[in-house]
Amino acid sequence: MRWNFDGMELRLGEHGRAVEARLARWQEEDFARRLWARDPTLWSPEPLPELADRLGWLALPEAMAAALPELERFGAAVAAEGVRDLVVLGMGGSSLAPEVFARVLGPRPGHPRLSVLDSTHPDAVQGLAARLDLARTLFLVSSKSGTTTETLSFFRVFWDLARRKLPAPGERFAAITDPGTPLAELARERGFRRTFEAPPDVGGRYSALSVFGLVPAAGIGADVAGLLAAARRLAAAGGPAVPARENAALALGAALGELALAGRDKLTFAAAPGLESFPDWIEQLVAESTGKEGKGIVPVVAEPPAAPAAYGGDRVFVALAGAGDDFARRHVARLAEAGHPAILCAIAEGAELGAEMLRWEIAVAAAGAVLGINPFDQPDVQLAKDLARAAMAAPAQRETAAGKAVSPAGKAVSVTEPGLDRALAEWLEGARPGGYLALHAYLAPAPAATAALRRLQGALRDATGLAATAGYGPRFLHSTGQLHKGGPAGGLFLQLVDRSRAELAVPEAGYGFGELLAAQAEGDRRALRQRGRGVLRVDLGADPLAGLEALERAPR
């Protein structure tokens, strides 16, 4: 069965009947009208935390249009001042949308480049600091709660550098946060140039079209008006009066949910050149929204492509196609012809991201209704945070100091040990049909490391027949971490750590980034084990690239 909508095609085969039935039921239940009326009973007959007060994202295309003059003035001021670098200090919902806008829309001439810091690895923080001219840099300290440990740690490092070199350091900082948060108070105390307040009824992963996404976009001169206009057109095309079967966002949501119920729960993306960062944003939206109560949809991003025979019967394929792109379209079309469900999303120009983001937000919220879960909470994220704090308080964690190598917390098998092959084999014995493998890389993000992770991702897929995912820590803790602990129980996790050459202290905090990263890795390991997940930690040593190459060569 094949359905065509404006900018989207669904090729669902035998699963089309279940989707048709779901849309017919939603038509009878008046789903679209109730959605736009922000009716929380679509997901639960009982009041639930983070449900009724998390539906403000539906109003953003209209509400943020009123803020356009302010956003455009901010972008113009940044350009006029000669700001060279705009840096988002944030995690998860505060960092992923800005990164998409930076990589897809890019800076307009005369505007600064945008960087996102969401790694607590000392090498990543030091590497960014080394290339910035603080007098020509503006930091956007971004956190919905205003208490995010990573974000505040980043701020303290760059504040300390700025106060040592600049007469008015506060002018180099702006805050993006909810009203009345500790970050808002910090911004007032330190004399930040301004604070952008976000609507409290919008959750982090649904905040791309709020100030969390649009302030950085305006700073690089992106077409913010075009993003919002595209989102409004999508909202009109899927409004309350549109029949459910003609509503592209609801059709996508019904497909995601029904396919997951049928065992097709590995949502695998192929992206056109220039759109490679967009699946990272969708990954958080899908994983953190649906991965709970033992249910969930597993997004598979940047897995190397393979022939149809390499994939199991648990896959759904998504092509994110840009103008003039052929590969993503052809790859997914070939898989559809082999019998796999497939979804094609065409994004003709950059501003259409606004529509595509809203489409996926509506679809994932609707898929949550199919799965019978609350798509707006993240109950298992806190567990890893609590265990990370406990690891930070442990004496073994406090022994590391500036200038010393930071060792991975807990027990790890080294890539130089003879026992690596046996440990990998024992870990893979836990693989089960319908499961998946996840690489957790607590490494400094870098192109060479990413390429090695992708190769390992594909090799594990080929060796086991299972979907394989990869993510940098602690970044993934704010996205797929919820799915890993609260979603389907079939995941196996390979945790990769290295030994940073030197510690980097966090001013005003009493700890270093190496300590924090090690504690986050240990907290996540403990949380996964508490949930009965299979975890193997591998110590890559002081040269993580060499360690990854050795791991690639290990037999499976």
Side-chain angles (χ1 to χ4, degrees), residues 199-264:
D201 59 351
V202 177
R205 58 188 175 275
Y206 288 83
S207 65
L209 298 178
S210 76
V211 288
F212 285 106
L214 297 186
V215 168
I220 62 172
D223 182 8
V224 175
L227 290 168
L228 291 172
R232 288 194 298 274
R233 289 193 296 272
L234 188 284
V242 178
R245 199 189 182 286
E246 299 173 16
N247 187 319
L250 289 188
L252 177 58
L256 297 176
E258 293 294 343
L259 287 164
L261 290 179
R264 294 272 187 174

Side-chain angles (χ1 to χ4, degrees), residues 150-172:
E150 298 94 333
T151 301
L152 295 178
S153 298
F154 300 148
F155 159 72
R156 290 180 177 121
V157 165
F158 290 104
W159 177 266
D160 186 65
L161 291 172
R163 74 174 181 81
R164 293 171 184 268
K165 297 183 178 181
L166 304 175
E171 286 298 308
R172 311 321 305 164

Side-chain angles (χ1 to χ4, degrees), residues 57-379:
W57 53 275
L58 288 160
L60 289 175
E62 288 288 347
M64 290 306 298
L68 269 175
E70 178 186 14
L71 292 170
E72 290 171 349
R73 283 195 297 272
F74 169 73
V78 166
E81 291 172 18
V83 173
R84 180 182 297 166
D85 285 281
L86 193 63
V87 179
V88 171
L89 308 177
M91 302 295 298
S94 300
S95 66
L96 290 167
E99 185 168 82
V100 173
F101 293 144
R103 293 180 61 184
V104 176
L105 304 178
R108 288 177 56 196
H111 287 263
R113 61 184 174 181
L114 176 64
S115 301
V116 173
L117 180 61
D118 59 1
S119 171
T120 54
H121 196 290
D123 293 355
V125 181
Q126 289 174 317
L128 176 63
R131 71 170 179 78
L132 295 177
D133 177 354
L134 294 179
R136 301 187 66 181
T137 300
L138 177 60
F139 295 96
L140 299 176
V141 189
S142 188
S143 167
K144 177 178 173 61
S145 68
T147 61
T148 308
T149 298
E150 298 94 333
T151 301
L152 295 178
S153 298
F154 300 148
F155 159 72
R156 290 180 177 121
V157 165
F158 290 104
W159 177 266
D160 186 65
L161 291 172
R163 74 174 181 81
R164 293 171 184 268
K165 297 183 178 181
L166 304 175
E171 286 298 308
R172 311 321 305 164
F173 293 84
I176 307 175
T177 188
D178 281 8
T181 67
L183 174 56
E185 178 61 20
L186 178 69
R188 187 190 64 78
E189 292 174 354
R190 301 290 176 101
F192 282 21
R193 65 186 289 159
R194 68 166 304 159
T195 296
F196 295 93
E197 291 189 346
D201 59 351
V202 177
R205 58 188 175 275
Y206 288 83
S207 65
L209 298 178
S210 76
V211 288
F212 285 106
L214 297 186
V215 168
I220 62 172
D223 182 8
V224 175
L227 290 168
L228 291 172
R232 288 194 298 274
R233 289 193 296 272
L234 188 284
V242 178
R245 199 189 182 286
E246 299 173 16
N247 187 319
L250 289 188
L252 177 58
L256 297 176
E258 293 294 343
L259 287 164
L261 290 179
R264 294 272 187 174
D265 62 349
K266 308 304 185 301
L267 191 65
T268 306
F269 290 88
L275 293 173
E276 296 96 338
S277 61
F278 191 34
D280 293 338
W281 179 84
I282 301 176
E283 179 182 46
Q284 182 196 23
L285 179 68
V286 171
E288 200 168 31
S289 297
T290 69
K292 57 202 73 169
E293 299 180 29
K295 308 171 186 178
I297 299 169
V298 180
V300 183
V301 173
E303 188 186 54
Y311 301 108
D314 57 353
R315 299 278 193 153
V316 182
F317 292 92
V318 179
L320 299 173
D325 167 58
D326 284 329
F327 173 76
R329 293 173 187 267
R330 286 189 286 104
H331 175 61
V332 170
R334 182 173 57 157
L335 293 163
E337 290 165 2
H340 292 287
I343 299 164
L344 171 65
C345 299
I347 303 172
E349 56 184 33
E352 289 300 315
L353 282 172
E356 203 62 33
M357 285 174 159
L358 184 60
R359 192 203 313 266
W360 279 90
E361 287 170 348
I362 293 171
V364 170
V370 177
L371 296 175
I373 51 91
N374 175 4
F376 307 112
D377 67 352
Q378 47 282 328

Side-chain angles (χ1 to χ4, degrees), residues 312-552:
D314 57 353
R315 299 278 193 153
V316 182
F317 292 92
V318 179
L320 299 173
D325 167 58
D326 284 329
F327 173 76
R329 293 173 187 267
R330 286 189 286 104
H331 175 61
V332 170
R334 182 173 57 157
L335 293 163
E337 290 165 2
H340 292 287
I343 299 164
L344 171 65
C345 299
I347 303 172
E349 56 184 33
E352 289 300 315
L353 282 172
E356 203 62 33
M357 285 174 159
L358 184 60
R359 192 203 313 266
W360 279 90
E361 287 170 348
I362 293 171
V364 170
V370 177
L371 296 175
I373 51 91
N374 175 4
F376 307 112
D377 67 352
Q378 47 282 328
D380 296 288
V381 169
Q382 191 60 40
L383 175 62
K385 293 181 180 179
D386 293 342
L387 292 173
R389 278 196 290 268
M392 284 287 286
Q397 289 293 324
R398 308 304 295 171
E399 292 174 0
T400 59
K404 295 183 180 179
V406 178
S407 300
K411 184 179 180 181
V413 59
S414 170
V415 289
T416 61
E417 292 177 6
L420 174 64
D421 296 353
R422 181 176 179 180
L424 284 170
E426 291 177 350
W427 175 68
L428 286 172
E429 285 177 1
R432 297 291 182 268
Y436 66 100
L437 309 174
L439 300 173
H440 290 177
Y442 286 87
L443 312 173
T450 299
L453 287 170
R454 298 309 178 208
R455 291 194 299 271
L456 186 56
Q457 192 180 356
L460 287 170
R461 187 252 341 266
D462 295 342
T464 64
L466 300 182
T469 69
Y472 282 105
R475 170 180 178 150
F476 75 83
L477 295 177
H478 297 259
S479 56
T480 54
Q482 168 62 42
L483 171 81
H484 297 156
K485 301 167 193 72
L492 285 180
F493 303 91
L494 188 63
Q495 194 179 81
L496 307 175
V497 296
D498 68 355
R499 296 174 180 267
S500 179
R501 290 181 290 277
E503 178 61 295
L504 175 63
V506 179
E508 307 176 59
Y511 58 81
F513 278 106
E515 293 176 82
L516 176 58
L517 185 66
Q520 290 172 315
E522 178 64 6
D524 193 42
R525 186 188 71 84
R526 293 180 187 177
L528 289 166
R529 294 298 296 271
Q530 282 194 22
R531 292 290 189 264
R533 295 351 186 200
V535 187
L536 173 64
R537 174 178 290 162
V538 176
D539 179 5
L540 301 177
D543 186 346
L545 283 179
L548 285 170
E549 290 171 0
L551 191 57
E552 284 184 70

